[in-house]
């Protein structure tokens, strides 16, 4: 499991409602198995080490938790009584151990935030986020620690960007 808890400071809420759609995942990284990059065009999956919960579901929940804790919006993953004023769609584009040289944990995702107005939606944010974090060795434990650091940095940047968009 990835572990990137949001900071504990409370953020004042405004009248925005952010719908966080389920994160998509690039096909190479969609499975539960860890993925290692061994050469420029060579990847390998690890059949012994895998995620308990698929990466897309983990990123959806981590993103929702971070945005709920750090932005002025009420954050939901399902439309309900409150109609969304904004919608976030994320895609996990890379989640691998890069072992072409010094071992690194690589995390990348793309995010789009649109206004939720029917028939008048506009793109308010479109950004790629990527972190490559050096890891001590090529063990699964070190790789997960590196991913956690990268995910936390990406989510902090995402929360800042979304917070700015929602305050406009």
């Amino acid at each position: 499991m990835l572990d990137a808890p949001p900071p504990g400071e409370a953020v004042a809420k405004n009248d925005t409602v952010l719908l966080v759609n389920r994160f998509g995942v690039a096909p190479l990284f969609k499975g539960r198995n860890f993925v290692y990059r061994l050469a420029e065009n060579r990847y390998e999956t690890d059949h012994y080490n895998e995620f308990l919960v698929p990466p897309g579901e983990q990123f959806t929940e981590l993103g929702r938790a971070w945005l709920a804790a750090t932005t002025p919006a009420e954050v939901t993953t399902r439309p309900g009584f409150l109609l969304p004023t904004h919608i976030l769609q994320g895609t996990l584009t890379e989640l691998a151990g890069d072992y072409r040289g010094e071992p690194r944990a690589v995390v990348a995702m793309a995010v789009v935030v649109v206004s939720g107005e029917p028939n008048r939606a506009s793109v308010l944010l479109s950004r790629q986020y990527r972190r490559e974090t050096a890891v001590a060795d090529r063990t699964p434990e070190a790789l997960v620690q590196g991913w956690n650091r990268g995910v936390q940095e990406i989510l902090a940047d995402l929360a800042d960007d979304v917070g700015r968009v929602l305050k406009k």
Side-chain angles (χ1 to χ4, degrees):
M1 292 291 294
L2 296 172
D3 184 29
E9 316 92 51
V11 173
K13 301 297 180 185
N14 60 23
D15 60 353
T16 58
V17 177
L18 177 65
L19 171 64
V20 176
N21 284 330
R22 185 166 189 238
F23 274 56
V25 182
L28 179 60
F29 310 102
K30 197 171 198 137
R32 289 180 189 246
N33 297 3
F34 287 11
V35 175
Y36 308 123
R37 186 171 190 182
L38 303 175
E40 186 63 30
N41 294 307
R42 184 171 159 233
Y43 290 83
E44 183 177 284
T45 57
D46 183 340
H47 298 285
Y48 296 103
N49 294 291
E50 62 181 25
F51 293 104
L52 179 62
V53 175
E57 292 179 31
Q58 288 191 59
F59 269 75
T60 301
E61 182 52 32
L62 288 169
R64 186 211 57 76
W66 264 83
L67 295 169
T70 60
T71 67
E74 294 298 331
V75 177
T76 182
T77 54
R78 297 180 192 202
F81 295 110
L82 299 173
L83 294 176
T85 58
H86 298 79
I87 301 167
L88 181 143
Q89 180 63 58
T91 302
L92 179 61
T93 57
E94 192 169 1
L95 183 64
D98 189 341
Y99 294 159
R100 292 178 291 175
E102 293 297 317
R104 294 172 295 177
V106 180
V107 180
M109 67 182 202
V111 172
V112 174
V113 176
V114 298
S115 64
E117 297 177 38
N119 302 322
R120 292 186 47 198
S122 60
V123 175
L124 304 173
L125 172 68
S126 178
R127 183 170 173 201
Q128 303 277 334
Y129 299 87
R130 180 181 173 85
R131 290 294 186 283
E132 292 188 18
T133 306
V135 294
D137 54 42
R138 295 175 185 224
T139 64
E141 294 80 13
L143 182 58
V144 171
Q145 288 175 355
W147 280 333
N148 285 339
R149 285 190 307 271
V151 169
Q152 195 155 19
E153 291 173 10
I154 285 173
L155 291 175
D157 287 349
L158 173 64
D160 288 345
D161 291 344
V162 171
R164 277 192 295 277
V165 166
L166 298 180
K167 288 179 183 175
K168 291 182 180 178

